[in-house]
Amino acid sequence: MAQLQVRPLAEENFPEKTGGNWKKYFTFNTDHKVIGIQYLVTSFIFFLIGGALATGVRIELATPDVDFVSRELYNQLFTIHATVMIFLWIVPAGTGAFGNYLLPLLLGCNDMAFPRLNAIAFWMIPPGGLLLMGSFFINEGAAASGWTSYPPLSLVNGKSGEFIWILSILVLGTSSILGAINFLTTIIKMRTPGMKFNNMPLFCWAMFAASILILVSTPVLAGALILLSFDLLAGTSFFNPSGGGDPVVYQHMFWFYSHPAVYIMILPVFGTISEILPVHARKPIFGYLAIAYSSLAISFLGLIVWAHHMFTSGTPAWLRMFFMIATMVIAVPTGIKVFSWLATLWGGKLRLNSAMLFAMGFISMFVIGGLSGVMVASVPFDIHVHDTYFVVAHLHYVLFGGSVFGLYASIYHWFPKMTGRMINETWGRIHFVLTLVGFNLCFLPMHYLGLMGMPRRVAEYDPQFATINTICSIGSYILAVSTIPFVINAVVCWRSGEKAPANPWNGLTLEWTLSSPPPEHNFPTPPVLKTGPYDYGTLDKRGSKKRPISQLRASDILSN
Amino acid sequence: MQGSTVNSEQVIAVSQDGHGGHLEDHPDHRIFGLFMFFVAESFIFLGLFAAYLTFRAVTPAWPPEGTPELELLLPGVNSIILISSSFVIHKAEEAIKENDVKGVQLWFAITAAMGALFLVGQGYEYAHLEFGLTTNLFASTFYVLTGFHGLHVTFGLLLIGAVLWRSRKEGHYSADSKFGIEAAELYWHFVDVIWIILFILLYLL
């Protein structure tokens, strides 16, 4: 075939070979694998920074008085903590890092559809992040009106910090949109011949759903921020009631992005969990199509529930009713996923390594967050706990117990593929135990605090909450410590860990057919699918049926 | 990938002007990606339109009392100029299908002139309006929406300028290699459609 003669010639133009050359990670590189790792390392550094800010918040809250930082600095700490964790860690790590690294490998193509656009999207992240961090060092300090930046509050705090915040979110949002264009084009147009939508790995489905959300909702946030910056700098009053404006319009526009953003942060993790569980349970995924289509259902429903964040903003009763019911309906596709994962584990031959532990930790922690989500979706309950620590507990169970546990699981699962080295399991387990204990100690008691009426976003509080807050703070210190064994383990094993074989977990998806780390031009020829992505232990059952086991009916299997 | 659709000469040709990364040895998906970009762009405008309509709905009198009437003649002429420029720029694509680069240059230049005229007209309107950016909520939304659209027209002019600049090199554009021309044209149409909605919302409703 002509292609085979062409390849060696083509590679001469790219003398840079994979492995060993660490400098390429600091350049404008268009290889999706390099970009994926750039995203992952950059966003993890921001995770550590965001974590340090959170620790500052918890040190302040360990006692009821204002004794560690000033009230003004406290407001900046929690504002930037949330912004960093959302826009610089979970979104770029979930979509940017794993989306870029895995999609071409899972789909069997050599790169994303637009490699240069991909590199541009990545290189917007560091300036956006540095801009945000830099705002701590200007006179008025960083933005201090919460990551929601509700006007009129955001219009009366320090103007320059607020404007830098807006600028930074616009940069990061643009990067996210450019990424989504790439993901969608790659998934729709670049699957290896023979891979249909209905037999691509579930991570690709999840990224498909998440990218649609990014593409549709992020621009609306940009619109809101443009109007907000006019209010801030040019003296207009779109959102300023004293000039005839309407702050609730901002809230609508903001949540039109920021509620789907929750799904942008969790859907990629749903995807990686659907990859990790069957590999380590040695069983086909249960309910392939149900998991695939439920991602789309979540994506659609996620777009029409935003005003459940605004039950106390004067939203009319009939509208609250609609948003309450629509929100509760999301529990259905989410429940379909959770039960499918449990059924995948059921009767499996589980391999309890760090990746699997974090994946199972993800399911249990996320279910708690999901259930408290249904609770706050209900209007009367939400009015009671709105802006209390119950909401803080809920969102951390979804974003930390969900997204971050899932991201850790993904890092452990694909570490051998990304680095070509195995990661140390003992330290991985220590990391898991510390994270699980620290996380629950920190956030479980917050449910109680919220129900008792402790408001969020305050530096000092009623002394009756002191004991429980101290417990939360101790949990957060354990969480802070838990990252140390992970970072050391990852760095040491990347440099000198045991060499990883091509397929350490005996996975069936396409990335495991390549060496670890994969060659620069992934697939010399378009790969031919020999099995479905999850056909573990079923080769005898597939028989003459050429379809993947995940799409066979029970009767097909029985008739064989 | 999907190399069966690409012959070997094309693979070599692409790799020789490679850019330090991957072979782009797959069919061209850039137009598809451009449409994804338009989806994102549409939603930023949809968000702003929705905000405008909500402001309108919750304000007791719209436009608020004391807002001078908008003159329709100038913006009407302006709209006709912009809309007809969409037909002009389409002639360029027909020309490139015949490998007629001179024709492309002619039609793109005319389109650019019409776009510039539109911007001048808008600037004239701004200068002669009796309300400013901060006069009231209507004035603010008026300036921000038309200004944001004007920014898009300006960007479209830059795209047209870029195509004109590149077309000086012989053989840069041809019937088989016309992405730049198509992209500029599609973007121009997109900006046009946005203007039609904007015009109806701000001037006619």
Side-chain angles (χ1 to χ4, degrees), chain B residues 73-87 114 118 192 195 199:
Chain B
L73 180 64
L74 175 64
V77 172
N78 235 354
S79 305
I80 291 167
I81 293 174
L82 195 64
I83 293 165
S84 18
S85 73
S86 250
F87 294 96
M114 293 168 88
F118 173 85
D192 236 21
W195 175 257
F199 185 75

Side-chain angles (χ1 to χ4, degrees), chain A residues 201-213:
Chain A
L202 286 165
F203 177 72
C204 309
W205 273 102
M207 283 304 298
F208 182 68
S211 306
I212 293 174
L213 284 180

Side-chain angles (χ1 to χ4, degrees), chain A residues 252 307-308 311 315-325 379:
Chain A
H252 279 293
H308 65 215
F311 285 156
T315 311
W318 61 271
L319 205 55
R320 294 202 297 208
M321 206 62 165
F322 167 78
F323 280 107
M324 172 172 108
I325 291 168
V379 175

Side-chain angles (χ1 to χ4, degrees), chain A residues 496-510:
Chain A
S496 55
E498 186 194 331
K499 283 246 188 293
N503 192 355
W505 317 126
N506 288 318
L508 287 178
T509 37
L510 287 174

Side-chain angles (χ1 to χ4, degrees), chain A residues 6-7 14 30-31 108-111 113-114 184-185 189-191 215-216 219-220 234-235 237-238 244 253 520-521, chain B residues 1-2 8 11 15 21-23 25-26 29-30 32-33 36-37 40 43-44 47 55 58 133-134 137 140-141 144:
Chain A
V6 169
R7 284 285 157 192
F14 307 103
T30 53
D31 180 352
C109 52
N110 284 338
D111 206 322
F114 311 113
L184 283 172
T185 313
K189 294 282 190 187
M190 309 253 295
R191 300 185 310 275
L215 203 61
V216 167
V220 178
S237 39
F238 293 110
M253 294 176 88
E520 189 173 338
H521 300 294
Chain B
M1 223 281 303
Q2 291 166 344
S8 55
V11 172
S15 61
H22 267 173
L23 299 171
D25 53 353
H26 55 76
H29 299 308
R30 286 178 294 181
F32 186 85
M36 298 279 157
F37 175 71
F43 270 87
I44 194 168
F55 287 137
V58 298
L133 177 63
T134 57
L137 196 53
S140 304
T141 42
V144 170

Side-chain angles (χ1 to χ4, degrees), chain A residues 107-412:
Chain A
L107 296 169
C109 52
N110 284 338
D111 206 322
M112 302 292 283
F114 311 113
R116 256 179 297 186
L117 189 70
N118 205 12
I120 292 170
F122 167 72
W123 281 105
M124 294 173 87
I125 301 269
L130 292 176
L131 196 63
L132 191 68
M133 301 319 299
S135 65
F136 271 114
F137 303 100
I138 57 173
N139 266 344
E140 292 172 343
S145 24
W147 84 281
T148 50
S149 261
Y150 276 4
L153 177 65
S154 52
L155 301 174
V156 296
N157 280 326
K159 274 195 177 9
S160 19
E162 186 62 31
F163 184 63
I164 292 178
W165 182 89
I166 292 175
L167 218 54
S168 163
I169 300 297
L170 287 177
V171 171
L172 298 171
T174 309
S175 153
S176 178
I177 292 172
L178 297 181
I181 291 174
N182 230 330
F183 297 139
L184 283 172
T185 313
T186 309
I187 294 170
I188 295 171
K189 294 282 190 187
M190 309 253 295
R191 300 185 310 275
T192 192
M195 187 183 281
K196 304 277 176 271
F197 257 77
N198 277 357
N199 61 353
M200 63 181 188
L202 286 165
F203 177 72
C204 309
W205 273 102
M207 283 304 298
F208 182 68
S211 306
I212 293 174
L213 284 180
I214 295 177
L215 203 61
V216 167
S217 64
T218 317
V220 178
L221 176 71
L225 294 180
I226 290 170
L227 296 184
L228 187 66
S229 52
F230 269 96
D231 275 6
L232 196 67
L233 302 176
T236 56
S237 39
F238 293 110
F239 305 131
N240 197 345
S242 62
D246 187 358
V248 176
V249 175
Y250 174 85
Q251 296 186 14
H252 279 293
M253 294 176 88
F254 177 83
W255 288 113
F256 185 80
Y257 166 74
S258 295
H259 191 74
V262 176
Y263 301 107
I264 294 169
M265 289 186 272
I266 201 74
L267 276 170
V269 174
F270 283 171
T272 58
I273 294 296
S274 304
E275 300 300 325
I276 294 167
L277 290 179
V279 177
H280 296 296
R282 314 306 305 152
K283 267 186 68 195
I285 189 95
F286 182 92
Y288 171 90
L289 286 177
I291 295 184
Y293 294 160
S294 64
S295 292
L296 291 184
I298 290 175
S299 177
F300 170 70
L301 289 169
L303 280 171
I304 54 165
V305 297
W306 74 90
H308 65 215
H309 294 270
M310 303 161 54
F311 285 156
T312 58
S313 305
T315 311
W318 61 271
L319 205 55
R320 294 202 297 208
M321 206 62 165
F322 167 78
F323 280 107
M324 172 172 108
I325 291 168
T327 306
M328 289 181 169
V329 168
I330 295 191
V332 176
T334 315
I336 288 173
K337 280 185 193 294
V338 170
F339 284 114
S340 298
W341 291 327
L342 294 180
T344 305
L345 293 177
W346 186 271
K349 193 162 179 260
L350 303 193
R351 185 159 50 200
L352 285 177
N353 54 14
S354 314
M356 191 60 159
L357 286 173
F358 270 108
M360 289 162 71
F362 159 86
I363 299 178
S364 25
M365 296 303 105
F366 178 76
V367 164
I368 298 179
L371 290 178
S372 59
V374 179
M375 291 168 77
V376 290
S378 131
V379 175
F381 185 80
D382 181 72
I383 289 172
H384 180 64
V385 298
H386 186 84
D387 253 340
T388 69
Y389 261 80
F390 192 88
V391 176
V392 178
H394 159 67
L395 74 92
H396 281 96
Y397 267 87
V398 175
L399 291 184
F400 198 122
S403 301
V404 180
F405 271 62
L407 287 170
Y408 274 141
S410 316
I411 293 173
Y412 280 106

